[in-house]
Amino acid sequence: GGGAGAGDGARTLVVALIGLPGAGKSTAAQALARALSGDGEGDGVEVVVVSFDEVERQVAATLTTLPTLTTTTTVTATATTMTSDGGDGGDGGGDGGDALVSPSSVAVWRLGRAEALRRVAEAVDAGVAGRGCRVVVVDDNNHLRSMRRALYTRCRDARCAYMSLYLALPPADAAARNARRRSDSDDSGVGVGVG
């Protein structure tokens, strides 16, 4: 992984998880949170996990009607310099790997991504302003350089540390995990088969 802003006084670290859907990013995020937060006696690090899939599900659950988004629409996370512009050729597709993406799922993905980026920025700002140590785990596939660059730039500007953690898994294994997940899922279609 790369590092940014890791000055002598950096007490906030952003860990960007990278990997295929099904690689174990959410499992790794929770394991990191448990390992770093200590035994509850105040000797641990404050850990904030921002799961982009969970935020997307929350956003989808709150929407009664979906806005119409085109491939040129930009959704900007408020109160932050981080944006969600798709950056992926316009399909917006999240990391569920569906071959066909409906306009409504693109809208949910973009709105969810903007909200998740806002939450990451908020967690970074609170960590930088605080006195303790904070680790912000970004649970998303972060497969595009532009996704990682937005996180890196935010950390650089906030003078906090950044690292990327790549979870390698052969594509066939990831596909098998996602197929099992889809068969166990609730048919909501949002976040199905996402790691």
Side-chain angles (χ1 to χ4, degrees), residues 25 64 82:
K25 296 177 299 297
T64 56
M82 297 165 62

Side-chain angles (χ1 to χ4, degrees), residues 154-168:
R154 180 72 178 141
C155 292
R156 184 195 64 208
D157 293 348
R159 301 177 98 31
C160 71
Y162 170 85
M163 70 175 285
S164 298
L165 182 61
Y166 179 72
L167 284 76

